[in-house]
Amino acid sequence: MTKHRPPNLTALDAHWRAANYLSAGQIYLMDNPLLTEELRPEHIKPRLLGHWGTSPGLNLVHTHLNRAISERSLDALCVWGPGHGGPAVLANSWLDGSYSRVYPDVGRDAAGMARLFRQFSFPGGVPSHVAPETPGSIHEGGELGYSLAHAYGAAFDNAGLLVACVIGDGEAETGPLATSWHSNKFLDPVHDGAVLPILHLNGYKIANPAVLARLPEPELDALLRGYGHEPLYVTGSDPRKVHQTMARAMDHALERIAEIKRTGVRASWPVIVLRTPKGWTGPAEVDGQPVEGTWRSHQVPLASVRENPEHLRQLEQWLRSYRPQELFDADGRPTEEVLACVPQGERRLGASPHANGGLLTRELPLPPLEHFAVPVDKPGATLHEPTRVLGGLLAQVMADTAERRDFRVVGPDETASNRLGALFEVTGKAWQAEILETDENLARDGRVMEVLSEHLCQGWLEGYNLTGRHGLFSCYEAFVHIVDSMANQHIKWLKTARGLPWRAPVPSLNYLLTSHVWRQDHNGFSHQDPGFVDHVLNKSPEVVRVYLPPDANTLLSVADHVLRSRDYVNVVVAGKQPCFDWLSLDEARGHCARGAGIWEWAGTEGRDREPDVVLACAGDVPTLEVLAAAGLLRRHLPDLAVRVVNVVDMTKLLPREEHPHGMADFEYDALFTRDKPVIFAYHGYPWLIHRLTYRRAGHGRLHVRGYKESGTTTTPFDMVVRNDLDRYRLVMDVIDRVPGLAVRAATVRQTMADIRTRHHAWIRDHGTDLPEVVDWTWTG
């Protein structure tokens, strides 16, 4: 075991006091940063915003991580779960110089300190939470619950990386965080880095006590040991004693981690339990009410400093208690003692390239799609399961990254169910717990991640992407809603990061949503929800992309595109059931590049005639129903000029001014016409199409069919009939909306309605769909 010199407690305390001073200064001061004159009301910000309560504990962790990194030459990253403690992380990145490196106008001197203080939670400044603007961060602190999942995601396939993760006791009450404790069962000591959780128990949330902070220590100890951790306790309010205990705990934890990494065998990983007062070293009492050690210190302990002379006096006393004249020289630069334990270069937590993952990203070695494409001599002559075809491509990518280990597939126990089983020919499912003879495809070094928690899958992949690696999240369409809020936060992160020139683009977060609404006839209503697309398309247009490939080759083309992309959230919705092959690979590439286009072979408009009606579709089942409807119209109304338009990229429907992929009005009008009826069969909720196209000239003639919450356990075709998306209903819609057809084609309409009636009786008698539906093929 390596021996390390005793910690310089005086230097540690000086750094910690400096960080505390800078944290409090950011909340309160807009001038007089070094207190070179008596504090006056005009030195105070007009609006006091920020969170003091957690900041001293975060500063303590940062200080001691600095020492450990410096002494042990560690490559490290820290995820700050109490991300509302932004002042602390900003203070430390300013102290170690990483803040000034990316923001040269905020120098490490008195003028820079003044700017650091003024900009915090100030118009035109920086957020109060840890955010993309914060050097060293990969974790947005506005929403709690995801820090530990992000930390493990960062550690996977980063064998030499230590990822510390501070978990607030309020955050520890969330479902995602509680599940994240199980991530250690998936961490391979050989190929992955190490995660050091630091559970910070300061007793309170915004207004209430925290559950874990009030547990008797034996109960908390049993809980953490049950999770597979060895708890190390650091408790107290005397700074000198806490520094000593924290240094010992940190050294013990890192020695234990090194031992586990040497043996390569799963063991109880250390966790530090840090119990210090909330608002530690701040005002003990304000207006006769206790503050330090209570929920009252959560945000701004002294709220009326400009108006209340006593509050102003207390603030000055508080700030001077850190003895800033000992910590900063006359020019405002941190003293040598303050910086004695601070790492250098990229080992600074604020400068770690792992927190700016685009700097480490390598291009994914994507093989030629020709190796996986299905042959299509003519449309609709063959069937394939699109996601099974995609599985071959993903397996090859997994094989080609076997040495570099920077590609993973995550999902909630559905990889095989979603027809991606080819992956198991080249890698296993990550698993560090017991393996039985009856188990299949489990492996210590596996790079498919399966756990029955969508939150955990999302958090792992976010941490993996943000540290520069590639991946795919495969999920049943209905249940991806579980991570709606996490997707929100990640999209907001990417939007902000894209505006920061010092943040390099990271691999996109890619969703594959399958087992979708139209083929959940067997599982029923609970499994039928296509609304994640609506949720995502509400978000920042420069970040989100949504694709609905109608067959296997278009899915391959879309997958190739999204896996190469950067700084996006890509949602791909594709079926896993047998689906007709409509386009060859070359045709699929061209169609996907356009995002939306006319399928001339499917329509009857001719080159010298405008269409009488446009049949549009987006999604595999809607495409099938539109083509079946086009075939019926060809047979029953041969003189009708029908145009068939397929949409792969949903954002093409938006105006170009609103989305980078959007169509200009002249492009949209050329495709859908300005004055002809458009019958649009859409995979999801119909109103989304109306929302995307409401400004278009032909919107008044647009009629959309889609899912309208009419589902149950039934047959596949009955799902589309129940929602009026079926081919017969679409033919009736054409007759109803093309001028002059209502009378002329009344018998055709009646025939369509009769078939729908016969369908209802047939499925109840036979339990299967009509023969003409089951045996249908494209004959156009």
Side-chain angles (χ1 to χ4, degrees):
M1 185 175 293
T2 304
K3 294 292 184 181
H4 294 276
R5 66 179 183 272
N8 182 340
L9 297 181
T10 302
L12 289 174
D13 189 64
H15 184 277
W16 180 60
R17 284 187 289 120
N20 285 340
Y21 179 81
L22 294 170
S23 299
Q26 289 175 80
I27 295 173
Y28 285 97
L29 299 183
M30 57 188 291
D31 202 358
N32 192 18
L34 289 170
L35 299 183
T36 53
E37 53 186 300
E38 184 179 343
L39 201 58
R40 299 193 300 274
E42 58 266 29
H43 298 150
I44 309 301
K45 293 179 179 179
R47 298 176 69 235
L48 299 179
L49 304 168
H51 295 76
W52 165 251
T54 190
S55 292
L58 297 185
N59 288 329
L60 184 84
V61 171
H62 207 302
T63 296
H64 284 263
L65 282 174
N66 279 346
R67 178 189 73 88
I69 293 166
S70 295
E71 289 188 2
R72 298 167 185 268
S73 299
L74 298 175
D75 291 323
L77 174 73
C78 191
V79 177
W80 307 96
H84 50 278
V89 186
L90 290 166
N92 282 281
S93 66
W94 185 85
L95 279 175
D96 70 21
S98 54
Y99 198 89
S100 301
R101 180 176 66 95
V102 296
Y103 302 111
D105 59 327
V106 186
R108 204 159 44 158
D109 54 21
M113 187 189 299
R115 189 179 292 270
L116 178 78
F117 287 0
R118 184 184 182 91
Q119 71 181 14
F120 179 80
S121 279
F122 203 81
V126 299
S128 64
H129 294 160
V130 175
E133 294 93 337
T134 310
S137 65
I138 65 163
H139 180 81
E140 165 62 60
E143 183 169 352
L144 303 179
Y146 314 135
S147 60
L148 195 54
H150 285 159
Y152 276 96
F156 293 140
D157 294 326
N158 258 331
L161 185 66
L162 170 71
V163 186
C165 180
V166 186
I167 303 157
D169 47 10
E171 180 179 30
E173 296 177 12
T174 65
L177 195 288
T179 305
S180 295
W181 290 109
H182 294 300
S183 297
N184 56 17
K185 286 79 172 176
F186 299 86
L187 192 75
D188 177 11
V190 176
H191 296 97
D192 299 334
V195 175
L196 175 59
I198 301 170
L199 178 60
H200 186 205
L201 305 179
N202 61 24
Y204 296 89
K205 305 185 286 287
I206 294 175
N208 286 290
V211 172
L212 292 189
R214 292 289 177 92
L215 288 184
E217 190 163 294
E219 187 176 345
L220 176 64
D221 192 82
L223 177 69
L224 294 174
R225 292 184 186 279
Y227 280 140
H229 282 287
E230 175 195 348
L232 306 169
Y233 294 93
V234 179
T235 304
S237 59
D238 180 333
R240 185 169 183 83
K241 292 180 180 177
V242 172
H243 281 305
Q244 291 175 325
T245 310
M246 186 66 171
R248 284 197 300 269
M250 188 71 71
D251 286 340
H252 180 95
L254 295 176
E255 294 293 346
R256 178 66 176 140
I257 286 170
E259 180 183 354
I260 295 171
K261 297 283 286 179
R262 279 194 298 270
T263 62
V265 178
R266 178 179 177 242
S268 293
W269 294 88
V271 56
I272 293 176
V273 181
L274 174 63
R275 195 186 295 269
T276 58
K278 195 175 184 82
W280 191 18
T281 72
E285 184 179 292
V286 177
D287 297 334
Q289 298 281 353
V291 173
E292 183 186 28
T294 78
W295 53 269
R296 294 186 181 89
S297 67
H298 180 76
Q299 291 180 307
V300 180
L302 294 158
S304 304
V305 183
R306 275 191 163 218
E307 302 81 20
N308 187 323
E310 175 57 22
H311 283 199
L312 182 64
R313 184 196 65 78
Q314 279 189 275
L315 174 61
E316 181 163 10
Q317 182 182 36
W318 170 19
L319 292 174
R320 292 193 185 279
S321 72
Y322 297 118
R323 306 190 298 281
Q325 70 280 2
E326 298 176 6
L327 307 174
F328 308 99
D329 65 20
D331 295 322
R333 296 184 179 89
T335 64
E336 289 186 11
E337 186 173 54
V338 166
L339 301 180
C341 295
V342 171
Q344 300 298 310
E346 290 186 347
R347 289 217 158 96
R348 293 172 294 174
L349 287 174
S352 170
H354 296 281
N356 190 0
L359 298 175
L360 304 174
T361 299
R362 292 177 286 181
E363 292 293 327
L364 202 58
L366 288 166
L369 298 185
E370 287 79 3
H371 295 176
F372 310 96
V374 300
V376 180
D377 296 326
K378 59 179 182 178
T382 55
L383 298 97
H384 284 86
E385 297 165 309
T387 57
R388 192 180 299 278
V389 174
L390 174 65
L393 172 67
L394 297 178
Q396 188 62 55
V397 176
M398 192 68 79
D400 292 343
T401 55
E403 295 299 320
R404 42 189 271 182
R405 295 185 67 92
D406 61 351
F407 178 70
R408 293 209 177 201
V409 173
V410 303
D413 194 29
E414 296 160 1
T415 307
S417 173
N418 288 336
R419 310 291 196 264
L420 302 178
L423 284 162
F424 300 133
E425 297 171 12
V426 295
T427 189
K429 291 179 275 190
W431 187 255
Q432 298 298 316
E434 182 183 10
I435 299 178
L436 306 179
E437 290 184 3
T438 52
D439 292 328
E440 291 184 343
N441 301 317
L442 301 183
R444 305 290 185 199
D445 62 349
R447 286 187 289 141
V448 172
M449 311 285 295
E450 289 196 339
V451 64
L452 201 52
S453 165
E454 286 81 359
H455 286 123
L456 202 45
C457 292
Q458 172 90 12
W460 285 345
L461 187 55
E462 287 180 356
Y464 200 71
N465 286 159
L466 289 167
T467 47
R469 283 79 58 71
H470 307 263
L472 181 80
F473 181 2
S474 164
C475 187
Y476 280 18
E477 180 185 53
F479 302 127
V480 74
H481 277 295
I482 292 169
V483 300
D484 278 0
S485 190
M486 294 184 77
N488 285 351
Q489 297 296 314
H490 191 68
I491 291 167
K492 291 175 186 294
W493 175 281
L494 291 177
K495 172 181 167 57
T496 303
R498 287 167 67 94
L500 300 170
W502 57 272
R503 279 205 179 267
V506 296
S508 299
L509 194 150
N510 302 310
Y511 294 97
L512 173 67
L513 306 186
T514 186
S515 298
H516 62 56
V517 56
W518 301 110
R519 294 310 307 267
Q520 280 296 326
D521 45 277
H522 60 301
N523 277 325
F525 197 35
S526 64
H527 283 55
Q528 296 161 2
D529 189 327
F532 189 70
V533 166
D534 302 58
H535 175 71
V536 168
L537 285 177
N538 280 329
K539 306 305 170 189
S540 305
E542 60 267 46
V543 176
V544 298
R545 305 286 187 267
V546 175
Y547 302 97
L548 275 72
D551 69 356
N553 285 336
T554 51
L555 176 57
L556 284 176
S557 180
V558 166
D560 181 79
H561 172 71
V562 302
L563 289 171
R564 295 180 191 276
S565 68
R566 300 285 186 275
D567 276 354
Y568 297 143
V569 168
N570 296 305
V571 180
V572 181
V573 184
K576 68 180 186 182
Q577 301 296 340
C579 170
F580 283 107
D581 305 314
W582 305 115
L583 303 179
S584 69
L585 179 59
D586 285 343
E587 291 168 335
R589 281 173 166 149
H591 185 50
C592 292
R594 288 188 299 271
I598 299 169
W599 284 6
E600 294 183 52
W601 52 267
T604 57
E605 60 180 304
R607 293 186 179 276
D608 56 351
R609 179 182 172 187
E610 289 189 3
D612 297 314
V613 65
V614 177
L615 289 180
C617 48
D620 55 0
V621 169
T623 297
L624 170 62
E625 293 307 306
V626 158
L627 290 173
L632 289 169
L633 291 169
R634 185 189 298 264
R635 183 165 78 247
H636 291 283
L637 298 169
D639 294 333
L640 189 70
V642 178
R643 173 180 291 181
V644 174
V645 173
N646 182 267
V647 179
V648 178
D649 180 351
M650 294 304 298
T651 59
K652 293 293 291 187
L653 298 175
L654 284 162
R656 181 170 292 172
E657 312 88 76
E658 295 185 11
H659 195 284
H661 285 195
M663 285 188 275
D665 283 340
F666 76 89
E667 296 175 285
Y668 182 93
D669 294 343
L671 198 60
F672 292 99
T673 78
R674 291 177 63 89
D675 56 358
K676 300 298 190 293
V678 178
I679 313 300
F680 201 128
Y682 170 55
H683 173 86
Y685 294 106
W687 38 88
L688 175 66
I689 303 300
H690 286 292
R691 182 165 66 82
L692 297 179
T693 61
Y694 79 99
R695 290 171 51 185
R696 302 296 191 177
H699 183 255
R701 294 177 177 82
L702 175 66
H703 181 64
V704 186
R705 294 293 187 181
Y707 183 68
K708 53 184 184 182
E709 287 295 309
S710 183
T712 186
T713 302
T714 185
T715 67
F717 188 66
D718 191 51
M719 277 297 299
V720 291
V721 173
R722 283 172 171 269
N723 290 277
D724 291 321
L725 184 68
D726 62 283
R727 59 200 67 178
Y728 307 112
R729 178 72 256 187
L730 296 177
V731 171
M732 294 162 67
D733 286 336
V734 170
I735 294 170
D736 293 345
R737 285 167 174 79
V738 174
L741 275 188
V743 175
R744 181 159 59 88
T747 57
V748 178
R749 192 186 194 286
Q750 182 173 294
T751 299
M752 300 298 111
D754 290 346
I755 296 173
R756 297 179 93 239
T757 301
R758 181 160 58 87
H759 154 81
H760 290 295
W762 179 274
I763 63 171
R764 282 159 179 77
D765 289 343
H766 298 274
T768 59
D769 286 318
L770 291 167
E772 58 259 52
V773 171
V774 174
D775 300 331
W776 181 88
T777 57
W778 172 254
T779 57

